[in-house]
């Protein structure tokens, strides 16, 4: 595994933990279909949550949340539709797209931010 893959996996582990601590049930991680991948699929009460995880090392790179632009949001909505088609449709509470950003500094604890309903 390369350093980038390791950082991504670490960020996804932290994100899944944060969502679980917030009371959500993680249904799937790294769910793939021919249209792409959803990092984390969770259930928040009766709301299906499609969660994009962005992890960055501290430094000159853009903030992780800035990496989810309109094109990525559109792709996440499309992937949500494919998930629902394969798993029995939309739940009663509908669907929400969240982003978890993870900043990993050179020293100290990572900073994990969870933003709900970004798209």
């Amino acid at each position: 595994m390369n350093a980038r893959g390791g950082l991504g996996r670490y960020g996804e582990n932290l994100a899944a933990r944060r969502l679980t601590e917030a009371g959500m049930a993680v249904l799937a991680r790294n769910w793939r279909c021919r249209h792409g991948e959803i990092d984390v699929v969770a259930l928040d009460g009766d709301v299906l949550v499609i969660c994009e995880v962005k992890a960055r090392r501290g430094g000159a790179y853009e903030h992780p949340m800035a990496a989810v632009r309109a094109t990525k949001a559109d792709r996440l909505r499309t992937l949500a539709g494919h998930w629902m088609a394969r798993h029995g449709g939309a739940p009663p509470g509908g669907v929400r797209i969240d982003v978890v950003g993870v900043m990993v500094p050179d020293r100290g604890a990572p900073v994990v931010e969870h933003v709900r309903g970004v798209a």
Side-chain angles (χ1 to χ4, degrees):
M1 178 186 327
N2 61 27
R4 183 175 171 195
L7 177 63
R9 185 176 313 258
Y10 178 66
E12 288 173 2
N13 288 339
L14 290 175
R17 184 180 318 155
R18 172 62 58 93
L19 297 175
T20 301
E21 289 170 352
M24 296 183 204
V26 173
L27 303 177
R29 292 180 56 185
N30 304 114
W31 181 80
R32 290 181 174 92
C33 70
R34 68 185 189 126
H35 302 282
E37 177 182 331
I38 301 172
D39 294 329
V40 180
V41 180
L43 202 55
D44 186 8
D46 64 352
V47 177
L48 180 69
V49 178
I50 304 300
C51 187
E52 177 70 9
V53 179
K54 292 294 184 186
R56 299 284 188 268
R57 294 202 183 280
Y61 299 107
E62 70 182 349
H63 191 278
M65 299 300 196
V68 180
R69 295 181 175 85
T71 302
K72 182 63 175 184
D74 289 342
R75 172 175 262 163
L76 291 170
R77 282 190 285 275
T78 298
L79 288 168
H82 290 289
W83 167 273
M84 289 183 292
R86 293 189 185 169
H87 294 89
V95 180
R96 185 177 78 222
I97 296 177
D98 292 1
V99 176
V100 174
V102 179
M103 287 293 294
V104 181
D106 292 334
R107 291 192 171 124
V111 177
V112 181
E113 296 179 51
H114 175 202
V115 178
R116 297 168 186 249
V118 298

